[in-house]
Amino acid sequence: MISYSLADFKPIVPELVLLFFTFLILFVDFAIPKAKKKINGFIALIGVVITFVVVLSLYGSSWTGFNDMIVFDKASGFVNVVLLLTAFVAILMSLDFIKREEINFGEYYEILLFSLVAMQVFGSTYNLIVMFLAVETLSIAMYILTAIKRNGLRSTEAAMKYFILGSFASSFLILGIALIYGLFGTVDLLRTKELLTGADTLHTWIAIVSFVLILVGFGFKIAAFPFHAWTPDVYEGAITPISAFMSIAPKAASFMALMRLLVVGMFPIQVEWTKLLWVIAVFTMFFGNLVALWQKDLKRLLGYSSIAHAGYMLVGITAANSLGYGAVLFYLFGYIFMNLGAFSVAEYISKKDVEGCLIDDLRGMGYKYPLTGAAMLIFMFSLAGVPPTVGFVGKYYLFSAAVKSHLYWLAVLGVINSAISAYFYLNIIVTMYMKGGAKEEVVSFPSPYLRAAIAIGAVGTILFGVAPGSVLNAALSSIVF
Amino acid sequence: MNQLHFPILSFITFWPLLGVFILLFINRKNETAIRIVTFVFMLIDFLVSTLLYFYFDPTTWQPQFVDKIPWISSLGMNYYLGIDGLSLFLVILTTFLSVVGQFSTWSAIKEKVKEFNIVFLLLLTGMLGVFESLDAFLFYVFWEFELIPMYLMIGIWGGPHRVFATMKFFLYTFAGSVFMLVAIMATYFLFHHYTGTYTFDMFQLASHPLPHHLQFWLFLAFFLAFAIKVPMFPFHTWLPWAHVEAPTAGSVLLAGVLLKMGTYGFLRFNLPMFPSMTHALGILVIVLAITGIFYGAVVAMVQPDWKKLVAYSSVSHLGYAMLGMFALNSQGMEGSIMEMINHGVSTGALFLMVGILYERRHTRLFSEYGGIAAIMPRYAVLAGVVTLSSLGLPGTNGFISEFLCLIGAFKANIWYGIVVAGGAVVSAVYLLMMFQKVFYVKTRNVKNLGLKDLDLRETVYMGICVLGILWIGLYPNPLLSRMHVSVEHLLQHVNSYSKQITINVDKNLTCNKLAKINVISRGGL
């Protein structure tokens, strides 16, 4: 008989706090008229901030609950921080935007926070079934958010693609989990590790097969090659705040879960999975960067660029040392600022009812909006990995982890990619500053919250590029598994 | 702390950033104020940096004026600035050329003045940081950072092909640098493997060079990054584009300072950290350097564009610097450092010259000019001195450095000396041809007749350059004496590895290590 005590609830305190605000929005939404839906947004914002404070105050403690189904350790604390920061900026980006696009339904924030809770759970468990439940919850929430602009053609198309491909990926995931359960009679990764250590050849091979199947599911979430196909369409089709949110939050949770899976559960077959990840990382980086070279749409470009960045982070995992795992966490943290910043700028110049945003529209922006232009310049240099930005520091640690494990070629291929990517990032700067004025004047979307989002991005990108010490140490010390 | 009891290096590095901050609050319409504020900031920076010259202790090779604060201490990274005899004059050269360069833009830059001066100040910080960093990671940060303002400077205020030129400049340099980044990481971890300490301290890394066989790829990676920056012969193709398209001040700093980062990088990384590979691969570098000397000179001869000629002359001049350095004797190396400084002053002044005439006529083609000597006599005199210094006439700075490089080459191998002595003749040819085409032949174009001679501002900044040229040319000893101990120390260190390439290596350790690396890398693949 399974019994629970109050202590079981300790590791899910952050989730519970956020869940409270999620339901609060649900109830408040009934009471407020359509014109004042912004209140929902502020509740969501406050909820995220309070959860953030809770996570910070709990950071450092180590709890497990519900028969080890949920853990709260430093790693999940760190991922929580990443998720909540992402959500905070994404909500800032949404506050005025969804009103302009006439989609300011209460459900928007409701579902956003709900997906966030699922992501928190996703990053804080060693249990494959809990992982699957979390990944399904967050996926369904993300499908809805992609399609939130119901009458937008691109938006609906993107959601449909996302949904169908996502369902396929989930079925692979569940098949892999089923194989693990069939093999070892457990879905707990800590237990899997013990059993796999002494397993015979047949069991090991089946475990490898199940690992590959699970990797399909995870690869879809982090947009790794060859499971990346949905990314550019969805990023382009979804409304910008959601694209921005999607480019980091689900990835952060998935990377955390992937690390728990690989470093703990699949530790005995590390030699095999590093080989596979080596190949996937290289293809992901090259694919993302090479295809991005030809993009004309800013959001699509950021979509391909996010594929490439997933590749960089896979380099850190492939290195299979604690420096690499820590570097992945740090990179996710830094990626919030530069990537959300870039998406915010895309939103800043977006036009009503137009999903895409052509790079050519940025012409002359550097002079018309000097501050936004300067911020975009910082984001682009950071994404390209040029110091003194957080993008450089993050990349430095990812690749140096590879070098530490003597994966010199992987590091070299990584930096080659960095050089390739410089071309299209710089091309945006060229468009902003060095080409003549636009055919149509650049119009801006005057939202103070959006400006705040851009400012947070720019300040964070520089600040954590110059003084990465404390966050980096936190990321490195998070890896205790 | 240091001789001055004041963090002088940090001050001169970050002082321009304060200038950027102040510029942000000046109305963009008030262009004069923007120019003056920037100028004053740069002038103060230069004046403070001259203190380094006076307080420098020439009797030690140890880094001086050190500022060292833990930065990311858990990983051995420090904020570590310091200079020695190798970098002292490059720092002063940087602040000097910035003042002169900025002064020249008062009339040249008419659009986006505020942005230009902000970018210029950022560039100054980046350049200074490169020469002052003694932490390899910090060095890399500044090394890359400095690309950003230069990229913007060429791309926004450059000539008609500026976008192509600036992209080529950035991508070429960036692509080279990322290999250096991997090499820095590898050096860091391998150094830890052999000595047990994690450090980015350049002096410490150099104190225990890695075993010979591990140096090969690392040397090549650093070589690639620096050779592109110098630029050495087959990697120079970005340079004519960038120089020609950049605004005058950009060309001055590009030639005067940025190219020196490459040669300086060789002095700081390749030579001390990979000494035995320096001996093994030195011949390759020397061959490329000599090729560059001739190639640059010959190509310069046939250029119809004045600025392009000066750009190719840089390839040639930097060839001398590389040759002198890899001659691995004290004359050659001191000549090499002198060449860096002199090339900075002389070629910087050449670009200023071109800029002055370009502002008046908006063309740089030789076919448009002729007989300028009669129309602008003051300009012609100053330009004459600069040209002569560039071709190495005794009494000017160019002579000292080329002469020392030649002695070094002769001492290293008599054939190097004989071949390169011919190069000196070729450089005289193209520079004199240049001078003749612009200043002496009959005026072919009526547009040249009404040109105004130098005004006060132009006379001042050209005059200062000429004073520098003559000072170094007539009395180089204060410079040489300050670099002597550092040079001797470096040479002693490098040459101690010439004969005993493999003796120092513990054979057993090497084999085990190699086997381990193989196993792990196969596992990884």
Side-chain angles (χ1 to χ4, degrees), chain A residues 367 396-397 400 426 466 473, chain B residues 71 74 77 151 170 189 200:
Chain A
Y367 303 111
Y396 178 85
Y397 286 111
S400 84
L426 291 198
V466 176
N473 285 336
Chain B
W71 184 17
S74 56
M77 288 167 188
Y151 163 82
F170 190 97
F189 286 115
F200 283 101

Side-chain angles (χ1 to χ4, degrees), chain A residues 275 278 367 381 387-388 392 396-397 399-400 403-405 407 415 418 423 426-427 430 434 466 468 472-473, chain B residues 71-72 74-75 77 112 140-141 144-145 148 151 155-156 162 167 170-171 181 185 189 200 520 523-525:
Chain A
K275 279 180 200 164
W278 195 98
Y367 303 111
F381 277 116
F392 166 72
Y396 178 85
Y397 286 111
F399 296 148
S400 84
V403 170
K404 192 180 185 184
S405 293
L407 301 170
V415 295
S418 212
Y423 178 79
L426 291 198
N427 205 18
V430 166
M434 302 172 197
V466 176
L472 190 67
N473 285 336
Chain B
W71 184 17
I72 308 171
S74 56
L75 296 155
M77 288 167 188
K112 298 157 196 155
Y140 188 82
V141 168
E144 294 277 84
F145 170 69
I148 300 175
Y151 163 82
I156 299 177
R162 59 183 189 276
M167 277 300 224
F170 190 97
L171 292 178
L181 182 64
M185 296 166 184
F189 286 115
F200 283 101
I520 294 172
L525 273 157

Side-chain angles (χ1 to χ4, degrees), chain A residues 77-256:
Chain A
F78 195 94
V79 167
N80 269 313
V81 167
V82 172
L83 293 172
L84 292 164
L85 268 176
T86 312
F88 182 80
V89 180
I91 294 169
L92 282 182
M93 290 169 71
S94 311
L95 279 170
D96 284 326
F97 186 78
I98 61 167
K99 180 144 195 242
R100 186 186 76 171
E101 301 286 322
E102 291 159 15
I103 45 173
N104 51 340
F105 314 117
E107 297 92 315
Y108 180 83
Y109 297 109
E110 166 72 25
I111 297 171
L112 191 72
L113 289 200
F114 210 66
S115 77
L116 203 60
V117 174
M119 290 171 205
Q120 286 178 308
V121 174
F122 194 25
S124 339
T125 177
Y126 283 115
N127 189 301
L128 286 168
I129 290 297
V130 179
M131 273 188 193
F132 183 74
L133 288 177
V135 86
E136 282 304 282
T137 315
L138 85 86
S139 296
I140 291 167
M142 294 320 294
Y143 302 145
I144 300 171
L145 285 174
T146 308
I148 194 98
K149 201 166 159 57
R150 283 175 305 187
N151 43 9
L153 205 59
R154 301 284 269 289
S155 176
T156 330
E157 182 198 327
M160 200 62 199
K161 276 184 186 163
Y162 191 24
F163 173 64
I164 292 174
L165 289 173
S167 312
F168 267 112
S170 296
S171 58
F172 282 105
L173 178 61
I174 194 74
L175 182 58
I177 294 172
L179 274 181
I180 294 275
Y181 185 70
L183 269 184
F184 302 118
T186 179
V187 285
D188 186 77
L189 288 174
L190 298 160
R191 189 91 186 94
T192 313
K193 178 183 176 181
E194 289 164 24
L195 292 167
L196 192 54
T197 311
D200 57 22
T201 321
L202 181 67
H203 278 67
T204 310
W205 273 105
I206 298 176
I208 292 171
V209 170
S210 67
F211 155 68
V212 173
L213 291 169
I214 295 175
L215 194 66
V216 174
F218 279 81
F220 180 82
K221 279 281 150 243
I222 60 176
F225 184 89
F227 316 110
H228 60 275
W230 59 276
T231 324
D233 288 329
V234 173
Y235 281 21
E236 189 191 4
I239 60 167
T240 313
I242 291 304
S243 311
F245 181 68
M246 212 176 336
S247 70
I248 295 163
K251 280 192 187 184
S254 307
F255 267 106
M256 191 65 241

